[in-house]
Amino acid sequence: MMRTRPLKVALLGCGVVGSEVARIMTTHADDLAARIGAPVELAGVAVRRPSKVREGIDPALVTTDATALVKRGDIDVVVEVIGGIEPARTLITTAFEHGASVVSANKALLAQDGADLHAAAEANNKDLYYEAAVAGAIPLIRPLRESLAGDKVNRVLGIVNGTTNFILDKMDSTGAGYQEALDEAMALGYAEADPTADVEAFDAAAKAAILAGIAFHTRVRLDDVYREGMTEVTAADFASAKEMGCTIKLLAICERAADGRSVTARVHPAMIPLTHPLASVRGAYNAVFVESDASGQLMFYGPGAGGAPTASAVLGDLVAVCRNRLNGATGPGESAYAALPVSGMGDVFTRYHISLDVADKPGVLAQVATVFAEHGVSIDTVRQQGKDGEASLVVVTHRASDAALGGTVEALRQLDTVRGVASIMRVEGE
């Protein structure tokens, strides 16, 4: 039997995502009511510019006083899509205190203050859902938090930013340089006017923190994630990758240590073999590869951003939260019982591709090999090309710690025969 009194929803933000949430709530109202067991009603929309015309939204619902909206007391669910840290953090905690559950797409806030927000939700016996915070329309948080709750996740490896994947894909497929590919991404609307959050990997790092926390039942904050942007990736790096049968992706990697006693979370460009499923993820799409004990390898793929895809994830959470509301229950909260330490990047072991500019004369390769050996870094392959007294030396290592590789590179720079380190890139997915 369907309840006739509607569940009231307050929408904070009515930009690209918020307007799509409002549109879907209106156009799919009957289906949503049937799935929930009660109608849902848009009871208020908080915005910064009330004079802007918002098609399909009753102007009487629009307000600039977000605080008053979440304090009303008759609001069942607050949907937060304004982003940023403040005022979003205060509005969410205020919503909990005044009886509302919350659906959020705010990755930056969740990565920084997720533990406090979960605690506030639990203290007030309310839900905090955020499927849209990590990979747009791709169902990822709920499978990790619920479907794989009986399994042990060991690794999460993925492309979680569509802008950077579009840029790298263009560089790979056309031979374009970084700036040329970025300009195209901006022209097509894939990149913001200020693309720093994407290309310097702040966006991906926030998502990695959220994924690692859920996957490993451990609190992982944004500050725990090693972050390296992709602005230094060159066409020459792609040429080297192709010679190895690889391509380059900006990857978010969350791993449980081999002994199970710690975890790491990192975001950086990496070469991956063309045979790896992530190598075929093109354009602005996202994909996440999950490895667990019982399930083995799982891959989640789809559009990771955009108004409609992100709104789809928001509405999925809204349905779940409204169902819980009707049943007088709450869904899964924070699971941080494992409380594993988060190791730094120095403890991470991976393969490396190092390109050196060296003098083209006898004995150089022996000197370089000696430095690697002295620092305990084993060489897999070496490729050398020389012309007019100068040479390029490309070394691919076996797995080594980031700390050992760092010491190796510093020692190489002290050699008179090494003119410079052209590039260093990790090799993943093998």
Side-chain angles (χ1 to χ4, degrees):
M1 179 181 295
M2 181 178 294
R3 193 181 78 167
T4 56
R5 186 179 74 79
L7 292 161
K8 294 188 176 183
V9 178
L11 179 60
L12 307 183
C14 197
V16 173
V17 176
S19 60
E20 281 295 312
V21 170
R23 181 188 67 79
I24 296 172
M25 283 185 64
T26 301
T27 58
H28 294 181
D30 292 341
D31 285 338
L32 290 172
R35 294 165 190 170
I36 292 169
V40 287
E41 173 188 317
L42 188 59
V45 182
V47 299
R48 287 183 297 177
R49 294 184 295 275
S51 60
K52 181 179 177 180
V53 176
R54 294 172 172 86
E55 185 176 350
I57 296 178
D58 183 353
L61 298 178
V62 177
T63 178
T64 58
D65 194 343
T67 300
L69 179 59
V70 300
K71 282 184 173 181
R72 275 177 37 174
D74 64 334
I75 299 297
D76 294 289
V77 185
V78 169
V79 174
E80 183 271 309
V81 288
I82 56 178
I85 305 302
E86 288 290 358
R89 174 172 50 197
T90 299
L91 291 171
I92 289 173
T93 55
T94 301
F96 290 141
E97 292 164 359
H98 286 77
S101 289
V102 173
V103 173
S104 176
N106 195 331
K107 52 190 170 285
L109 178 58
L110 288 159
Q112 177 175 303
D113 295 316
D116 291 341
L117 294 178
H118 275 293
E122 184 177 0
N124 291 280
N125 197 31
K126 296 295 178 287
D127 275 323
L128 172 63
Y129 276 50
Y130 43 91
E131 184 68 65
V134 171
I138 305 172
L140 184 57
I141 289 178
R142 193 170 287 115
L144 282 173
R145 191 163 65 172
E146 299 178 26
S147 303
L148 296 176
D151 207 342
K152 179 183 178 183
V153 176
N154 297 310
R155 194 173 196 230
V156 180
L157 169 75
I159 298 164
V160 295
N161 183 278
T163 299
T164 54
N165 198 58
F166 177 88
I167 293 169
L168 292 172
D169 185 36
K170 280 295 175 182
M171 293 176 70
D172 185 27
S173 61
T174 68
Y178 165 75
Q179 190 60 50
E180 182 182 353
L182 173 60
D183 290 344
E184 182 173 353
M186 295 178 71
L188 293 173
Y190 290 123
E192 301 287 344
D194 180 0
T196 302
D198 294 323
V199 300
E200 294 294 353
F202 290 102
D203 175 87
K207 295 171 180 177
I210 295 169
L211 290 174
I214 296 171
F216 306 132
H217 304 279
T218 291
R219 287 178 178 168
V220 180
R221 289 171 48 91
L222 181 58
D223 291 345
D224 296 321
V225 181
Y226 172 83
R227 178 190 57 81
E228 183 181 321
M230 49 152 293
T231 57
E232 301 300 318
V233 177
T234 66
D237 291 326
F238 274 100
S240 293
K242 287 181 179 180
E243 290 181 1
M244 293 177 57
C246 294
T247 188
I248 299 172
K249 299 291 186 181
L250 183 75
L251 298 179
I253 305 170
C254 311
E255 292 180 306
R256 189 189 299 269
D259 62 7
R261 296 179 181 177
S262 64
V263 298
T264 58
R266 51 195 166 102
V267 177
H268 54 72
M271 294 182 180
I272 59 172
L274 294 175
T275 54
H276 194 281
L278 292 178
S280 62
V281 178
R282 311 303 297 267
Y285 275 70
N286 285 190
V288 178
F289 209 69
V290 178
E291 300 174 8
S292 63
D293 276 0
S295 300
Q297 297 179 330
L298 305 170
M299 182 167 166
F300 301 83
Y301 170 85
T310 305
S312 170
V314 170
L315 267 295
D317 278 350
L318 179 63
V319 169
V321 170
C322 286
R323 286 171 174 170
N324 291 341
R325 191 88 172 182
L326 287 180
N327 293 324
T330 56
E334 182 188 33
S335 176
Y337 72 91
L340 296 170
V342 183
S343 297
M345 191 64 187
D347 296 325
V348 171
F349 280 73
T350 189
R351 297 179 68 204
Y352 290 88
H353 176 282
I354 305 105
S355 180
L356 304 171
D357 295 327
V358 300
D360 187 13
K361 62 183 184 180
V364 173
L365 180 55
Q367 286 183 321
V368 169
T370 297
V371 170
F372 275 88
E374 289 174 346
H375 288 80
V377 179
S378 175
I379 294 176
D380 182 15
T381 62
V382 178
R383 186 174 68 256
Q384 183 173 5
Q385 292 178 323
K387 184 179 180 182
D388 299 331
E390 297 296 326
S392 173
L393 191 65
V394 176
V395 178
V396 179
T397 73
H398 289 290
R399 287 174 62 84
S401 72
D402 191 78
L405 195 281
T408 303
V409 171
E410 286 305 310
L412 287 171
R413 289 193 169 109
Q414 305 307 312
L415 295 178
D416 292 339
T417 51
V418 175
R419 311 297 193 212
V421 180
S423 70
I424 304 170
M425 190 167 295
R426 296 169 183 88
V427 182
E428 301 284 350
E430 296 186 324

